[in-house]
Amino acid sequence: MIYLLESKLPENKSIYFALQYIYGIGKTRAFLICKKLGFSINLKVKHLSENQTVQILSLINSLNFVLAHDLKKLKIGLTKKLVSIKSYRGLRRTRGLPVRGQRTHTNARTARRIKNKFYVY
């Protein structure tokens, strides 16, 4: 099992899909990493050498991606800022209502479930 940026990469998956296990790397970034390093998308994680894992880490650092713990802190900080300046979106977050204009008569369960996840009052 290989650990990259606080994430476990499954050994039996291809590098393209395994990189998506890292918080902040999606399909586009995973494809970009594979393309820049010259890896086949079908290359399995268990076939990576130590040198190749170091190459992946150095490329991610050189591209200045905000990933994993830093990205989570950034997202929480942005939502706390919205709450602190009492913007419309911030007020909707504190009340546990949908933020982006969805209906509230029905189907607002997800927003209510997320309510207590980010905020400490």
Side-chain angles (χ1 to χ4, degrees):
M1 184 86 39
I2 295 177
Y3 289 91
L4 284 180
L5 301 170
E6 304 165 3
S7 301
K8 291 188 281 187
L9 301 184
E11 291 185 355
N12 57 350
K13 293 210 179 244
S14 69
I15 189 68
Y16 172 72
F17 291 107
L19 284 173
Q20 294 177 30
Y21 278 69
I22 299 171
Y23 189 80
I25 294 182
K27 293 178 182 179
T28 306
R29 285 187 176 176
F31 183 76
L32 179 97
I33 292 168
C34 290
K35 187 176 178 181
K36 285 208 179 220
L37 294 176
F39 296 159
S40 169
I41 292 176
N42 299 326
L43 176 69
K44 300 281 185 187
V45 174
K46 61 185 170 187
H47 298 302
L48 285 176
S49 67
E50 290 287 326
N51 188 24
Q52 290 172 328
T53 56
V54 171
Q55 284 179 337
I56 291 171
L57 278 175
S58 63
L59 179 67
I60 289 172
N61 289 334
S62 68
L63 292 175
N64 295 325
F65 290 150
V66 179
L67 301 173
H69 185 68
D70 296 330
L71 181 59
K72 288 179 186 177
K73 281 175 53 178
L74 183 70
K75 285 179 71 174
I76 290 171
L78 290 173
T79 55
K80 285 187 178 182
K81 179 185 170 196
L82 289 173
V83 171
S84 68
I85 64 173
K86 295 186 177 160
S87 67
Y88 180 77
R89 286 173 54 199
L91 294 174
R92 300 291 285 183
R93 288 242 184 234
T94 56
R95 293 179 184 150
L97 295 169
V99 176
R100 298 184 176 178
Q102 295 93 334
R103 60 181 288 145
T104 56
H105 184 68
T106 59
N107 304 334
R109 295 188 201 290
T110 304
R112 282 185 264 146
R113 192 172 66 230
I114 292 175
K115 176 182 178 182
N116 297 326
K117 202 173 200 179
F118 292 109
Y119 310 105
V120 178
Y121 301 106

